[in-house]
Amino acid sequence: MRRVYFLIFVVFGVTAATFGQATSSDSQTLRALLSEVRELRHELQSSLTRIQSAQILLSRLQIQEVAVTRASQHLDDARSKLAEVQVVLKREAAEIKHFEDEAPNAGENAAQVEEALKRAKSDLEASTNLEQQRQATETEAEQQLQTEQDKLNSLETQLDELVRNMDNPSEPSDRVPR
């Protein structure tokens, strides 16, 4: 009977020890799994943040490209209008030269030539003022285009940096685009 009790004690003792070890091993496994899940969640959140930042930058880049295109078109328009005025100025200067050359030989038409010369000089003065305005507009358009291109370059640099950070996920990239 002692042997039976001893056998029961050994069986239950070994079983209890085995369950105790299994619980400890399971607990360690669960802790390791929980730690890995937390790491994965953190990496996923970091990836989502990077993706959102990239989407924001891409949207801003597209908007800025439109702004650069618009500024470029405005500059082209300003240059075109300035060129038109400069053509008119040359034509008016040639007309004045023609009237000045004709004035001494006008004879009976001297009053008409003199009046046409005054009108041509007045037109030249108005065109000169218009040329100055168009030059100022062209200068402003050039400055605006340069500003918009600088903004576009800045966004492209930020996007390049973000892409580099995506290639190196070990580096923190908590920088949100401006």
Side-chain angles (χ1 to χ4, degrees):
M1 182 94 170
R2 283 187 173 179
R3 287 185 181 177
V4 172
Y5 286 125
F6 180 70
L7 185 59
I8 292 173
F9 176 73
V10 168
V11 169
F12 283 119
V14 169
T15 306
T18 305
F19 282 132
Q21 289 175 356
T23 304
S24 174
S25 176
D26 287 347
S27 176
Q28 289 174 349
T29 303
L30 286 174
R31 284 188 196 129
L33 287 173
L34 182 60
S35 175
E36 189 170 337
V37 166
R38 286 180 179 153
E39 285 180 38
L40 288 172
R41 190 179 87 204
H42 177 71
E43 288 177 21
L44 180 62
Q45 286 174 339
S46 295
S47 294
L48 288 174
T49 300
R50 287 185 183 122
I51 289 169
Q52 288 173 340
S53 295
Q55 288 174 337
I56 290 168
L57 274 174
L58 286 173
S59 295
R60 291 182 65 206
L61 189 69
Q62 290 171 339
I63 291 168
Q64 193 58 39
E65 285 174 341
V66 169
V68 167
T69 300
R70 207 175 324 124
S72 179
Q73 289 171 346
H74 181 63
L75 177 59
D76 290 343
D77 185 47
R79 286 180 175 162
S80 174
K81 288 181 179 179
L82 178 60
E84 288 172 7
V85 169
Q86 289 172 338
V87 167
V88 169
L89 280 171
K90 287 179 183 176
R91 187 180 34 139
E92 289 172 346
E95 188 177 343
I96 290 172
K97 174 102 170 96
H98 171 71
F99 286 135
E100 288 175 343
D101 290 346
E102 189 179 308
N105 302 330
E108 295 178 2
N109 296 333
Q112 292 175 341
V113 171
E114 191 63 36
E115 184 62 32
L117 182 60
K118 284 181 185 179
R119 194 174 43 244
K121 286 183 178 181
S122 175
D123 289 347
L124 180 66
E125 185 178 334
S127 293
T128 301
N129 291 336
L130 185 58
E131 179 190 34
Q132 290 171 351
Q133 291 171 357
R134 299 257 168 105
Q135 283 175 339
T137 301
E138 179 191 34
T139 301
E140 290 171 11
E142 285 174 343
Q143 290 171 347
Q144 184 63 35
L145 177 60
Q146 186 60 49
T147 299
E148 298 300 338
Q149 285 177 330
D150 289 346
K151 288 178 186 178
L152 180 63
N153 291 340
S154 174
L155 288 171
E156 288 173 342
T157 300
Q158 289 178 25
L159 187 60
D160 289 343
E161 181 180 327
L162 187 63
V163 168
R164 273 193 307 278
N165 287 339
M166 284 182 175
D167 290 341
N168 300 322
S170 62
E171 296 179 16
S173 177
D174 297 331
R175 185 172 175 215
V176 176
R178 292 180 247 150

